Amino acid sequence: DAGVTQSPTHLIKTRGQHVTLRCSPISGHKSVSWYQQVLGQGPQFIFQYYEKEERGRGNFPDRFSARQFPNYSSELNVNALLLGDSALYLCASSFYRGEGQPQHFGDGTRLSIL
Amino acid sequence: AQSVTQPDIHITVSEGASLELRCNYSYGATPYLFWYVQSPGQGLQLLLKYFSGDTLVQGIKGFEAEFKRSQSSFNLRKPSVHWSDAAEYFCAVEDSGTYKYIFGTGTRLKVLA
């Protein structure tokens, strides 16, 4: 079975632009979370979606938004890009949203802002 | 608030030597704890998890971790390191209620031939 897939793998944007990152969870998984990993740091939680509803949001500005589709895939959108948005964006899926559910990560999208 | 500390930023060991990576957590109740490994340019792979019960948990690739409530620690160990174990290792705790993961800053492992 395919794991979590993310696209694109790499992206270069300039300041002020907008970006959309995509994630397909493992088949049967209904919960998707997004994390930002800045170089040299651990991943930081951005959003969690379950059954197409936002269930959690991290300490990120409103420039960051996301949604989950009926097939449980998800998009992360970032507006008005800043240099500090350069990072690896990771998507993780789990079977459902609940205690102890292991999250399975994709290989991420590397976003570089010039 | 929950937090995770990985005191060692870098660790270097010789191939065949034993390994212990430290992880300390701050959490009020019994935590759900995880260890992940990240190879360069890749995502995170789950090595093992602790929910409750036996405090020594076995994972993939020959790794194990021991939960010690009295020390608020969840250290990762491997008896004999292979060159392919060179990677970055992250400890994480699940935040109660939100189910998001809180990660440590990671430990980068270098293996000498």
Side-chain angles (χ1 to χ4, degrees), chain A residues 35 37 40-45 48 55 58 88 90 97-108 110, chain B residues 32 34 36 38 41-46 49 51 88 90 94 96-106:
Chain A
Y35 291 82
Q37 186 180 18
Q41 301 282 329
Q44 297 287 319
F45 173 76
Q48 183 184 77
R55 301 301 185 114
L88 179 68
L90 295 164
R97 181 177 181 266
E99 283 188 343
Q101 274 292 297
Q103 295 190 19
H104 301 269
F105 286 80
D107 286 341
R110 173 75 61 187
Chain B
Y32 293 102
F34 305 85
Y36 283 85
Q38 185 176 36
Q42 297 194 355
L44 304 175
Q45 181 182 22
L46 179 65
K49 56 186 183 290
F51 293 164
E88 188 147 25
F90 291 94
E94 182 184 284
S96 64
T98 66
Y99 312 120
K100 69 180 183 182
Y101 284 10
I102 298 167
F103 286 88
T105 52

Side-chain angles (χ1 to χ4, degrees), chain B:
Chain B
Q2 293 93 334
S3 65
V4 174
T5 302
Q6 294 181 247
D8 305 305
I9 299 175
H10 294 97
I11 282 186
T12 300
V13 299
S14 298
E15 191 171 18
S18 64
L19 172 69
E20 183 169 27
L21 302 182
R22 296 184 291 166
C23 172
N24 294 99
Y25 66 90
S26 171
Y27 193 84
T30 300
Y32 293 102
L33 294 161
F34 305 85
W35 274 100
Y36 283 85
V37 61
Q38 185 176 36
S39 298
Q42 297 194 355
L44 304 175
Q45 181 182 22
L46 179 65
L47 287 175
L48 47 77
K49 56 186 183 290
Y50 172 78
F51 293 164
S52 64
D54 194 348
T55 57
L56 185 64
V57 293
Q58 301 296 320
I60 62 171
K61 303 185 178 186
F63 285 93
E64 66 178 25
E66 186 171 13
F67 171 69
K68 293 186 177 180
R69 183 188 302 277
S70 62
Q71 297 178 18
S72 297
S73 69
F74 186 56
N75 294 348
L76 182 71
R77 301 194 297 244
K78 187 170 185 177
S80 177
V81 171
H82 189 263
W83 64 266
S84 60
D85 293 324
E88 188 147 25
Y89 292 80
F90 291 94
C91 180
V93 65
E94 182 184 284
D95 181 71
S96 64
T98 66
Y99 312 120
K100 69 180 183 182
Y101 284 10
I102 298 167
F103 286 88
T105 52
T107 297
R108 183 168 296 278
L109 174 65
K110 182 177 179 180
V111 180
L112 300 177

